[in-house]
Amino acid sequence: MIPHARLDAVTEADLRALIDHGVRESRTLDYKRDWPAGRDARAELAKDVCAFANSLGGDLVFGMREEGGAAAEIVPLQYANLDADLLALTSALRDLLEPRVSGGLHAHPVPLAAGGHVIVLRVAPSPAAPHRVTRDNHFYARTSVGKEPMDIHGIRHAFAAGTALGQHIREFRDDALTRIERREIPVAEFAGPACVCHVVPVSAFSRQDAHGVDALVAAGEKLRSVRGANAFVMSRPRVNLDGVVCVPHPNESTRGYVQLHRNGAVELVYADLLFHSPLDDPGGQSLLPELYEKPLVHGGLPAIVETLAALDVAPPAYLMLSWLVGPVTRIAVERPYNRADFIALPAHLGRISAPPIYLEDFSADPLTVLGPAFDVLWNAVGVAHTQTDFAAADPD
């Protein structure tokens, strides 16, 4: 795969670097000199896409001649209608695979200074794997020397691995929540409810490698832009057992943190979410969702996306939002005529988890992504959707 998490960041210089360094085809990279214009060419290409989707994902580079498997020369491609040709190709490829690759298939045209384009087609590892090619009904996998049909043992393993992937990601989230509940956390003790956001790339579990500490520290600098309920300022990332962590500056009272794990997963915790309400007992407090919803939309998720890009972690990923609440936690709910209620969550709920959200890419609007997850907590008190006004300015 070309070393850029953001496909739209790939430039002609990156392509020429492949040639200068003699980068060879691999399990995640394949060169194609010609554009697959005909039906048979696209059917053959579907085998490559199938193999990438069933394995680790990867990039297909059209307009690159190879010699002995190494990038050798850029051969510019010319198009009468570039957008139409890209749409026709991706649509055809989706139709040639079963189940369809609904997401995780993105084409990026790289303009060349001398004219023409090179097309990079990025295929994400698919959570719906294994796929097969409808033309020949074969399942394909990607190896270091190219694509190859799976035998019966490979097919059985692929089905088992596809089922296990989602389970592993959910177990990672659940184990993390248990550690937070036990206060096995990289910050001082905090009291009261917490909102926890996990972004777990599929590659965190589809690959067995881990990111080096130096890369984690460099990428973790992006997490310093995270702001919490009280606009706290994050300290520089520091190394810990799980990777690197950013915590609030020592003079801040807020107890949130951001953990960047060695496998590329990110854990963002917002704490100190309580405030005193008129319906509380003396000394009691209630949870105000605005204290984590607005920071997560305006700063938290964008910072996570920038961190993953800096770490060269490519989509797809799963976003999972959870809440750890006390035995009696009230939620501030607006009512007509400028009234407000403070409704208690059901007493048996100590941990609430929204369904995982699949991120095909990292360019989606944060509010569009997070809105359905925010709604889950509101649903627990009988409100359909979040009541937070995301357009309103934060008070000074």
Side-chain angles (χ1 to χ4, degrees):
M1 185 172 287
I2 299 173
H4 272 296
R6 291 183 60 92
L7 179 59
D8 57 9
V10 177
T11 65
E12 181 177 354
D14 297 312
L15 301 175
R16 297 202 177 278
L18 298 175
I19 300 172
D20 295 341
H21 295 98
V23 176
R24 301 180 64 84
E25 294 176 320
S26 66
R27 294 190 69 186
T28 60
L29 185 63
D30 195 356
Y31 302 125
K32 305 289 184 184
R33 182 186 185 281
D34 300 315
W35 180 251
R39 178 178 298 179
D40 290 341
R42 291 179 178 179
E44 185 64 27
L45 178 62
K47 300 176 184 179
D48 292 291
V49 173
C50 179
F52 277 135
N54 286 340
S55 304
L56 303 178
D59 289 337
L60 289 150
V61 183
F62 298 93
M64 179 72 75
R65 183 176 64 82
E66 53 87 15
E67 289 182 359
E73 178 189 11
I74 290 177
V75 182
L77 302 174
Q78 306 292 337
Y79 300 91
N81 189 329
L82 176 59
D83 291 339
D85 285 343
L86 294 182
L87 180 60
L89 177 66
T90 54
S91 297
L93 291 173
R94 290 189 175 102
D95 291 338
L96 285 165
L97 296 182
E98 186 182 49
R100 286 168 56 95
V101 180
S102 59
L105 187 61
H106 304 281
H108 171 54
V110 181
L112 304 174
H117 290 82
V118 168
I119 306 299
V120 181
L121 181 66
R122 177 159 292 176
V123 184
S126 174
H131 300 267
R132 68 176 179 177
V133 178
T134 57
R135 178 69 71 90
D136 61 11
N137 290 326
H138 285 323
F139 296 82
Y140 290 87
R142 183 76 184 182
T143 68
S144 58
V145 296
K147 62 181 179 292
E148 62 179 26
M150 294 182 186
D151 59 18
I152 187 63
H153 301 292
I155 295 171
R156 286 175 176 171
H157 175 76
F159 275 106
T163 301
L165 178 61
Q167 180 180 345
H168 290 327
I169 291 175
R170 289 190 296 272
E171 288 175 350
F172 175 86
R173 186 267 317 274
D174 292 341
D175 290 344
L177 295 178
T178 298
R179 291 196 300 272
I180 297 172
E181 289 172 330
R182 294 174 178 173
R183 296 303 188 259
E184 299 170 1
I185 52 179
V187 296
E189 181 80 5
F190 62 76
C195 176
V196 185
C197 177
H198 286 102
V199 177
V200 183
V202 169
S203 61
F205 289 92
S206 63
R207 302 184 184 188
Q208 299 301 315
D209 54 346
H211 299 279
V213 169
D214 292 339
L216 292 171
V217 171
E221 285 289 336
K222 302 293 184 181
L223 296 174
R224 299 185 68 193
S225 63
V226 169
R227 294 293 182 267
N230 301 318
F232 58 76
V233 177
M234 286 289 189
S235 63
R236 299 183 67 88
R238 59 178 174 84
V239 177
N240 65 1
L241 180 62
D242 294 318
V244 300
V245 64
C246 288
V247 301
H249 193 273
N251 63 5
E252 300 282 356
S253 60
T254 303
R255 300 304 180 193
Y257 65 89
V258 196
Q259 175 75 53
L260 175 57
H261 290 265
R262 297 178 188 272
N263 63 3
V266 182
E267 174 180 299
L268 171 55
V269 177
Y270 289 103
D272 295 347
L273 303 175
L274 297 177
F275 76 111
H276 182 70
S277 74
L279 298 184
D280 284 317
D281 296 330
Q285 293 177 307
S286 294
L287 187 153
L288 185 62
E290 179 179 312
L291 295 180
Y292 62 83
E293 290 186 349
K294 292 179 72 173
L296 190 50
V297 167
H298 296 318
L301 184 55
I304 292 173
V305 168
E306 291 181 2
T307 300
L308 295 178
L311 200 59
D312 277 334
V313 173
Y318 284 92
L319 183 150
M320 295 170 288
L321 205 62
S322 307
W323 297 265
L324 303 176
V325 298
V328 180
T329 301
R330 297 182 183 273
I331 308 296
V333 176
E334 295 182 5
R335 298 300 192 191
Y337 309 110
N338 295 320
R339 294 190 303 108
D341 284 343
F342 297 86
I343 304 176
L345 288 167
H348 66 280
L349 295 179
R351 178 190 295 187
I352 303 171
S353 293
I357 296 173
Y358 181 67
L359 303 178
E360 293 182 359
D361 59 63
F362 295 149
S363 62
D365 172 62
L367 181 54
T368 302
V369 170
L370 288 163
F374 289 154
D375 292 346
V376 171
L377 184 73
W378 293 89
N379 296 163
V381 293
V383 178
H385 302 290
T386 173
Q387 293 184 346
T388 297
D389 184 356
F390 293 94
D394 292 322
D396 294 331

